[in-house]
């Protein structure tokens, strides 16, 4: 996934060039060292960078089953995503099932529509949500939710950018599945689930040891992984085994 050097390069590029780099990144799913959790976490971060968006949660489906994997740009967004899976209710599920965007400009008004999802999203500090399917030519592989702290809808350029991100990710993931059809899809899903468990364990350990919030611990891990060209899963395993020690971030 994106290295620190590439991240730095993107920051200095004009917006249209930077978006081009992101789309290339999302299309690059056939490398031998492809890591699904790195990919989804990067997609969540790109979603959270859409103007007007506070956080992003990505839900991925098993090709032979339901939505089952959550990646997110923050802990609050992750909790909202997990809630959708637990209760099988919410905008990402609807976007995935219909292969169409779902827009809710006021979550308070959506309490009758989503009695489990809406209260959790509101309690997490979100007031509106836009969900986009990861869908290409009628094939859906997941969906992502763009969560807003303020009620209202995304403006047209922001919504178009979000739709483009979702489409690019869907094409990349479907292409990988087509080319790698001989691999066990169930095994791929289990690898992704195992990776998420490792990442969560390492994040919790780091948060406790350095007295950080889960969000701060994950940011520290992601920044270190990118700076040292490591996969998040590999870094998490090394942290849990005591092979790598991360310094506490500056509190200035």
């Amino acid at each position: 996934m994106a290295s620190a050097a590439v991240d730095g390069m993107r920051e200095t590029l004009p917006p249209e060039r930077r978006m081009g780099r992101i789309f290339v990144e999302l299309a690059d799913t056939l490398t031998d060292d492809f890591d699904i959790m790195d990919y989804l976490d990067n997609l969540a971060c790109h979603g959270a960078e859409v103007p007007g968006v506070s956080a992003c949660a990505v839900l991925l489906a098993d090709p032979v089953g339901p939505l089952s994997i959550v990646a997110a740009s923050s802990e609050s967004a992750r909790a909202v995503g997990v809630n959708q899976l637990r209760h099988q209710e919410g905008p990402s599920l609807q976007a995935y099932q219909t292969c169409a965007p779902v827009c809710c400009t006021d979550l308070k008004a959506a309490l009758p529509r989503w009695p489990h999802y809406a209260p959790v999203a509101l309690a997490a500090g979100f007031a509106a949500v836009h969900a986009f399917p990861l869908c290409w030519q009628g094939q859906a592989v997941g969906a992502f939710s763009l969560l807003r702290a303020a009620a209202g809808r995304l403006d047209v350029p922001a919504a178009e950018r979000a739709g483009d991100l979702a489409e690019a990710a869907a094409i990349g993931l479907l292409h990988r599945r087509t080319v790698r059809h001989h691999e066990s899809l169930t095994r791929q899903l289990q690898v992704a689930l195992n990776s998420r468990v490792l990442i969560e364990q390492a994040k919790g350990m780091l948060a406790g040891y350095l007295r950080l919030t889960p969000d701060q611990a994950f940011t520290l891990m992601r920044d270190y992984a990118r700076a040292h060209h490591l996969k998040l899963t590999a870094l998490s395993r090394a942290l849990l085994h005591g092979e790598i020690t991360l310094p506490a971030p500056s509190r200035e």
Side-chain angles (χ1 to χ4, degrees):
M1 294 296 96
S3 67
V6 172
D7 285 341
M9 183 186 301
R10 284 207 304 251
E11 291 299 331
T12 62
L13 291 172
E16 63 276 7
R17 289 286 305 282
R18 184 170 187 274
M19 287 305 300
R21 295 277 186 179
I22 291 173
F23 292 142
V24 169
E25 175 189 317
L26 292 176
D28 187 17
T29 57
L30 297 181
T31 57
D32 291 337
D33 63 347
F34 177 78
D35 185 300
I36 185 64
M37 291 314 305
D38 264 9
Y39 185 87
L40 296 179
D41 281 321
N42 280 339
L43 176 59
C45 289
H46 294 321
E49 292 172 353
V50 172
V53 173
S54 301
C56 175
V58 182
L59 275 63
L60 184 69
D62 175 0
V64 294
L67 293 169
S68 55
I69 299 175
V70 178
S73 64
S74 69
E75 282 303 306
S76 55
R78 188 183 310 282
V80 172
V82 169
N83 177 267
Q84 290 194 74
L85 297 183
R86 181 179 296 122
H87 296 287
Q88 289 297 293
E89 169 193 291
S92 286
L93 271 82
Q94 186 176 336
Y96 169 69
Q97 291 164 353
T98 62
C99 264
V102 175
C103 174
C104 176
T105 59
D106 185 357
L107 281 167
K108 289 182 180 179
L111 288 168
R113 178 183 183 185
W114 297 317
H116 297 289
Y117 171 83
V120 171
L122 287 166
F126 302 116
V129 60
H130 292 63
F132 293 82
L134 304 183
C135 181
W136 176 247
Q137 294 184 342
Q139 296 185 70
V141 294
F144 72 6
S145 295
L146 303 185
L147 297 147
R148 288 169 48 84
R153 67 174 62 245
L154 293 173
D155 62 28
V156 172
E160 290 178 346
R161 173 171 166 179
D164 289 343
L165 286 173
E167 187 173 285
I171 292 171
L173 290 168
L174 285 168
H175 190 203
R176 178 174 177 82
R177 287 182 180 178
T178 299
V179 173
R180 308 275 179 163
H181 67 280
H182 60 283
E183 296 180 0
S184 167
L185 297 176
T186 301
R187 185 182 66 81
Q188 289 182 43
L189 177 63
Q190 190 59 53
V191 168
L193 291 170
N194 291 342
S195 295
R196 174 49 63 191
V197 170
L198 277 176
I199 292 169
E200 291 299 313
Q201 288 176 341
K203 181 174 66 179
M205 182 191 74
L206 196 62
Y209 181 71
L210 297 180
R211 297 183 180 180
L212 303 173
T213 66
D215 277 348
Q216 290 170 332
F218 184 69
T219 297
L220 182 63
M221 289 169 58
R222 184 166 56 212
D223 290 348
Y224 184 93
R226 289 179 176 179
H228 293 80
H229 309 289
L230 293 173
K231 299 297 180 186
L232 273 172
T233 304
L235 173 61
S236 298
R237 186 177 292 109
L239 286 170
L240 291 170
H241 291 169
E243 298 167 358
I244 293 177
T245 301
L246 301 189
S250 172
R251 299 182 183 274
E252 295 180 1

